[in-house]
Amino acid sequence: MISKILVPTDGSKAAQKAAMYAVDLAKQLKASIIALSVIDKRSFMGQTVPAGKTSRHVIEPIEDYLRAAAEGYAGEIEKLCEKNGVQAKTVITAGHPVEGIVKEAERARQT
C-alpha cells in the first residue's frame, strides 16, 4: 500500500502538473505528500543576485534567493494539499538534484 508520495519540484509547469496528479492520487489513497525542492549548488558558488531581480530589491547571495524560491515552490504544493485534505511535509535541501531526490526517497522509505 502506498502511504507516502515524494513530489520533487523545481517550480516548472511540468512539476506543477505532476504535483496536481500526485495530490489527487494521495487523496484517493489516503497517502501523504512529501514536497521536495533541491537547490542545485553546482552553478552558483559565491554569486549574488542583482537588486532589481529580488523581492526586497537588495543584493543578496544567490543561495538565499534560490532557497526562497524553493520554499515558494514547495509551499504551492502544501497549499494544494491543504485544499484537498492531504497531509503534507516540505523538505528543502541543497546539492545535486538527482542525488537529493534519491536520498530523500530512501529516507522516506525507512520512516
Side-chain angles (χ1 to χ4, degrees):
M1 183 171 145
I2 297 171
S3 62
K4 299 175 194 170
I5 301 173
L6 179 62
V7 183
T9 185
D10 59 3
S12 67
K13 288 191 185 274
Q16 291 170 351
K17 190 171 184 177
M20 289 190 293
Y21 284 112
V23 171
D24 185 51
L25 180 61
K27 185 175 181 178
Q28 292 176 40
L29 298 174
K30 296 182 179 29
S32 64
I33 293 284
I34 301 170
L36 172 66
S37 189
V38 181
I39 301 166
D40 190 349
K41 294 183 87 170
R42 296 174 299 168
S43 60
F44 65 85
M45 296 300 172
Q47 296 181 15
T48 59
V49 177
K53 301 278 185 182
T54 68
S55 60
R56 293 175 282 190
H57 300 289
V58 296
I59 294 175
E60 65 180 300
I62 197 162
E63 186 170 4
D64 294 345
Y65 177 78
L66 293 175
R67 179 165 292 281
E71 289 169 353
Y73 303 147
E76 290 173 12
I77 295 171
E78 274 200 28
K79 287 178 189 174
L80 185 60
C81 287
E82 187 176 306
K83 180 180 174 184
N84 286 278
V86 173
Q87 184 179 1
K89 172 184 165 185
T90 296
V91 177
I92 308 293
T93 63
H96 189 279
V98 172
E99 292 170 0
I101 292 167
V102 170
K103 185 176 178 181
E104 183 57 31
E106 290 172 347
R107 191 201 63 72
R109 186 178 62 178
Q110 295 173 359
T111 59

